[in-house]
Amino acid sequence: MAMRGKRPTGPEWALPALLTALLATLLTGCRQTSGSVEFGAPPGGMPTQPSGYGTVFLGVDECSSFGTTSFTEVPCTGERAAARVIARHDGRPADGPPCPPATDFVLHIGAQPAADGEGVIPQGYACMRNLQPPHPGDPGGGGGPRTVVGDCVYGAGPGEVRETACDGSGKRKPEYQVVRAVRSRARCPASTALYVRLGGDEPVGCARRL
């Protein structure tokens, strides 16, 4: 989540070979790799301010509180814990490694003085997994910073598609589902109606119409 996104880049799609005269490219949001939105994230991401535990603010396996615009680090065993860090990187998401496929949302961490007054916490981002369902980053969940096999998308307007929950629980009904990830479009099955850019070693998602 995105297309707000998990700066958005977005899926690219075209009609199958039978309709090559109508080939088109649709771009949708995702901050790190093409193809999805960041669940619950406003455009520009979820900035958070350093506060709390550990030598690294929101390091791997540490937890954040609930929040909509800001988050704090809290003990994972506490009642305020809402999500766990499954990957943590310095720099900007566009310049760094992509978050794991199981990521539910991404937190942007601005450069700030350390809580102890010594040094600076560098700019970075944390890949977060909710401690309890729902998990929008799971296949078909309708969110997360990446599009993966099993995810569904819909046409969001001229030149744009976005992720939505495959079970129809989202605001928009799913129109296509990614059923396979391959190295090139030529490897997609004949039933492919949409090509979605996924990134990684198999960057092309073959999507069927629902």
Side-chain angles (χ1 to χ4, degrees), residues 54-78:
T55 56
V56 176
F57 177 65
L58 286 178
V60 174
D61 287 334
E62 294 178 334
C63 292
S64 73
S65 64
F66 294 91
T68 55
T69 59
S70 65
F71 296 76
T72 57
E73 186 176 312
V74 297
C76 290
T77 55

Side-chain angles (χ1 to χ4, degrees), residues 11 47 61-62 70 72 89 98 105 120 136 146-147 164-165 176 184 196 199:
D61 287 334
E62 294 178 334
S70 65
T72 57
H89 305 289
F105 63 96
V120 174
R146 301 180 61 177
T147 296
T164 189
Y176 304 89
S184 66
V196 181

Side-chain angles (χ1 to χ4, degrees), residues 2-207:
M3 321 278 29
R4 337 58 297 336
K6 253 253 125 268
R7 277 185 303 273
T9 56
E12 169 184 271
W13 69 289
L15 295 177
L18 184 62
L19 301 178
T20 52
L22 298 179
L23 289 177
T25 299
L26 297 185
L27 299 178
T28 188
C30 171
R31 252 188 283 271
Q32 299 165 58
T33 60
S34 303
S36 82
V37 302
E38 288 196 14
F39 182 77
M46 296 181 180
T48 185
Q49 301 301 319
S51 171
Y53 305 83
T55 56
V56 176
F57 177 65
L58 286 178
V60 174
D61 287 334
E62 294 178 334
C63 292
S64 73
S65 64
F66 294 91
T68 55
T69 59
S70 65
F71 296 76
T72 57
E73 186 176 312
V74 297
C76 290
T77 55
E79 61 181 16
R80 296 180 61 209
R84 186 184 301 272
V85 181
I86 60 175
R88 174 75 155 81
H89 305 289
D90 291 339
R92 301 182 306 166
D95 300 329
C99 281
T103 302
D104 288 328
F105 63 96
V106 177
L107 292 182
H108 283 206
I109 300 169
Q112 297 287 335
D116 59 8
E118 297 183 6
V120 174
I121 297 173
Q123 178 184 12
Y125 57 99
C127 309
M128 309 298 296
R129 173 83 173 174
N130 293 330
L131 295 179
Q132 301 293 332
H135 293 292
D138 285 351
R146 301 180 61 177
T147 296
V148 298
V149 173
D151 280 341
C152 294
V153 298
Y154 67 91
E160 186 176 14
V161 294
R162 294 179 183 268
E163 260 193 64
T164 189
C166 290
D167 64 5
S169 61
K171 294 182 179 180
R172 295 291 301 269
K173 291 181 58 178
E175 297 176 354
Y176 304 89
Q177 184 174 30
V178 180
V179 296
R180 187 178 300 178
V182 296
R183 292 183 178 275
S184 66
R185 293 184 181 184
R187 294 180 177 270
C188 284
S191 59
T192 299
L194 190 75
Y195 300 100
V196 181
R197 192 193 317 166
L198 305 180
D201 294 335
E202 295 179 317
V204 178
C206 315

